[in-house]
Structure formats: C-alpha cells, structure tokens
C-alpha cells in the first residue's frame, strides 16, 4: 500500500522557547504561524503545512512541561509533518538519569560532576554546606539545574 503525502507548501519554525508559554502562544496566534488551537488542542492550519520546533524547550519558563506535552501530541497527530529537534537544553537533561542514579548517589558529593566552564559555580559539597542542605537527589537536582545547566529557576517552576 502506498500512501500519498500532501505537498508541503508552508513550513513554520520556532526555537528557543525555553518554557515561555506566553511567547509560544503569541507565535501560534500570529499570521506567521502554521499552527492553530482548536478547542484548546494544537493543530496544523491546513494539509499543506508542516512545523519544525528547533529545540531548547526547557529550563527558563514555567510552561515547558505543558509545551512538551502539546508538541509531542502534535507530532503524534501529524507524524510526517511535525519535526521536533532537540537542542542543548533538551539533550542535557539526559545527564540527570546518570547523575541522580542510585550508584551516583552512593558516591561522595566531592565526586559529583563539576561545572568546569564556570569558575563561579560552587562544587556540590560547598553548595550543600553553604545552604545547610543534606546530600539528597532533590538537593543535587537543584544544584545541577542552577549551577551546571544554567536553569536557576527550573526546579521552582515544577
């Protein structure tokens, strides 16, 4: 069986939303967008449209998880016309599985990954002691987001 694909005539693209739901909604509502909302559901405007999200969905705003759900649903609805590219802010979250694993948590906080590129970023041990915090997954996650991922408010947005 051969399925005919519609010819794409209009491609929409946006990137670096970083959780800013308001900016994304302004894009959807603009004349430049190939997207629309129908009963609160994100859709492509017409059969000749395609959409590319260029990455960096996470970290700075409080809407990143909602946007992720919407974009994944959009991709499921239009698998051949929606393309989701992962940016560095999306890819770096893959570190969390390793750095917060049970084996990583058994290691001393002195052995934790260091933000070598930022001389002002405190080591995990120093961060924990300066805040009077215990060495837990939650506190390591807060340190990782704030001092190694450049996402100081990401934890609080949850």
């Amino acid at each position: 069986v051969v399925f005919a694909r519609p010819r794409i005539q209009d491609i929409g693209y946006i990137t670096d939303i970083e959780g800013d739901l308001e900016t994304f909604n302004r894009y959807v509502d603009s004349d430049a967008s190939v997207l629309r909302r129908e009963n609160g559901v994100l859709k492509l405007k017409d059969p000749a449209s395609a959409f590319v999200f260029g990455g960096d969905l996470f970290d700075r705003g409080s809407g990143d998880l909602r946007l992720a759900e919407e974009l994944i649903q959009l991709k499921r609805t239009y698998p051949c016309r929606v393309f989701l590219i992962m940016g560095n802010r999306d890819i770096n979250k893959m570190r969390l599985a390793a750095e917060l694993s049970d084996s990583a948590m058994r290691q001393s906080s002195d052995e934790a990954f260091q933000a070598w590129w930022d001389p002002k970023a405190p080591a995990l041990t120093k961060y924990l002691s300066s805040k009077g915090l215990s060495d837990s997954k939650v506190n390591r996650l807060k340190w990782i987001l704030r001092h190694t991922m450049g996402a100081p408010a990401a934890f609080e947005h949850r």
Side-chain angles (χ1 to χ4, degrees), residues 5-10 34 36 44-50 78 81:
R5 287 193 203 169
R7 184 179 181 117
I8 302 301
Q9 297 175 357
D10 196 11
V34 297
R36 64 183 166 83
L44 287 171
K45 281 186 177 175
D46 62 59
S49 297
Y78 306 98
R81 296 190 292 138

Side-chain angles (χ1 to χ4, degrees), residues 95-107 137 140 144:
R95 287 179 35 206
L96 297 177
E99 292 181 45
L100 298 174
S101 69
D102 290 340
S103 63
M105 292 304 299
R106 285 190 292 274
Q107 295 177 333
K137 285 186 180 187
R140 281 194 187 198
I144 290 168

Side-chain angles (χ1 to χ4, degrees), residues 132-143:
L133 300 172
S134 63
D135 187 8
S136 68
K137 285 186 180 187
V138 168
N139 291 330
R140 281 194 187 198
L141 176 60
K142 289 179 180 180
W143 172 79

Side-chain angles (χ1 to χ4, degrees), residues 70-136:
E70 285 190 299
L71 291 175
I72 290 168
Q73 185 56 50
L74 187 69
K75 174 69 176 171
R76 286 182 178 139
T77 304
Y78 306 98
C80 296
R81 296 190 292 138
V82 171
F83 305 90
L84 306 176
I85 299 170
M86 293 178 71
N88 66 306
R89 289 193 171 278
D90 311 310
I91 291 171
N92 70 16
K93 303 309 171 286
M94 291 190 274
R95 287 179 35 206
L96 297 177
E99 292 181 45
L100 298 174
S101 69
D102 290 340
S103 63
M105 292 304 299
R106 285 190 292 274
Q107 295 177 333
S108 158
S109 60
D110 291 325
E111 298 176 65
F113 176 84
Q114 300 298 314
W116 52 264
W117 60 90
D118 183 359
K120 295 178 185 171
L124 175 60
T125 302
K126 184 175 181 181
Y127 169 81
L128 293 171
S129 65
S130 72
K131 304 274 186 192
L133 300 172
S134 63
D135 187 8
S136 68

